[in-house]
Amino acid sequence: MWNVLLSFSGLVALIQLIFLPFFPESPPYLLLQKEDKAGCLKAMKQLWGEGNYQTEFDDLMKEKAVTKGTKIMNVLEVLREGSVHPQLCTMLLLLLSLQLCGLKIFETANLQESIIPYVSLGVSISELISIIFCSSIIDRFGRRVLLCGGYLLMALILVLLETSLLLSDQFLWLRYCSVILIFLFIVAYGLGP
């Protein structure tokens, strides 16, 4: 019944995808990144209801003043920054541990057991590349676009994955499609959510 459990995560992603467009952008994002004061106040009222949010707005303005001189670093600059190495190591360990999730599908595809660790390593590398790519385009497209697009892609890929797993006994070539879909799911996850 593991395939039903896998489908359940697709259902949760679909629910998030449906409701995400109805939520406003984050007030700190609107103020600090987009410099949209009116949009920030409107988002605060949408999220927290009617009220006076001048104190929160003033706190964000102070944060903006403090970070005004701070340079936004790109991916390579972050990798060179020694103070973030513990966080990067933690993230890499998490990425590597996530790769265990596709082993059952790799076995279902009748991949030789000696090849499965290399396929899993390929999934890890794909996820790392997609996360680095996402961090370089997030300022251009914004979080909402990447989240919506990522969840939409993940939901579509999970539907295709479930279909390929259900029909893999009848069509043997679908087993290999399952492996490709796992790679695509990881890339979609890394680009958005």
Side-chain angles (χ1 to χ4, degrees):
M1 299 295 289
W2 64 269
N3 52 350
V4 175
L5 184 63
L6 183 66
S7 301
F8 180 73
S9 64
L11 177 67
V12 172
L14 182 63
I15 291 169
Q16 290 176 344
L17 178 66
I18 290 169
F19 288 107
L20 189 62
F22 298 106
F23 289 99
E25 287 283 356
S26 158
Y29 172 75
L30 287 171
L31 185 63
L32 301 176
Q33 299 293 323
K34 297 285 188 176
E35 297 185 4
D36 182 6
K37 293 178 183 179
C40 175
L41 287 170
K42 182 181 174 188
M44 284 179 176
K45 288 180 181 177
Q46 261 185 297
L47 288 171
W48 302 324
E50 289 298 323
N52 186 3
Y53 300 108
Q54 193 61 41
T55 306
E56 290 84 357
F57 185 78
D58 291 341
D59 289 342
L60 287 174
M61 289 300 287
K62 287 176 189 172
E63 182 180 340
K64 182 178 180 180
V66 168
T67 60
K68 188 172 186 174
T70 305
K71 180 185 173 213
I72 297 175
M73 297 190 296
N74 63 30
V75 177
L76 291 175
E77 291 170 337
V78 170
L79 291 174
R80 289 186 205 127
E81 181 65 38
S83 65
V84 297
H85 284 168
Q87 294 89 341
L88 287 174
C89 290
T90 303
M91 183 185 74
L92 286 174
L93 286 173
L94 279 170
L95 291 175
L96 293 173
S97 65
L98 281 174
Q99 304 322 307
L100 298 174
C101 66
L103 291 179
K104 181 67 176 172
I105 293 174
F106 298 152
E107 290 172 1
T108 305
N110 286 338
L111 294 177
Q112 294 176 355
E113 202 169 310
S114 60
I115 294 176
I116 291 176
Y118 297 108
V119 174
S120 184
L121 180 63
V123 170
S124 300
I125 292 170
S126 300
E127 185 172 11
L128 186 62
I129 289 170
S130 66
I131 288 172
I132 290 171
F133 180 68
C134 175
S135 63
S136 65
I137 65 171
I138 195 166
D139 289 333
R140 183 174 303 149
F141 294 105
R143 290 181 177 101
R144 177 176 288 204
V145 172
L146 292 180
L147 279 173
C148 286
Y151 280 130
L152 183 63
L153 279 174
M154 288 169 59
L156 176 67
I157 290 169
L158 285 174
V159 168
L160 293 173
L161 181 61
E162 181 66 21
T163 304
S164 70
L165 290 172
L166 289 174
L167 299 174
S168 64
D169 291 335
Q170 296 170 347
F171 304 100
L172 296 177
W173 58 271
L174 282 176
R175 294 178 177 178
Y176 299 104
C177 286
S178 304
V179 174
I180 293 169
L181 288 170
I182 288 290
F183 273 87
L184 292 176
F185 181 82
I186 296 297
V187 168
Y189 174 77
L191 286 177

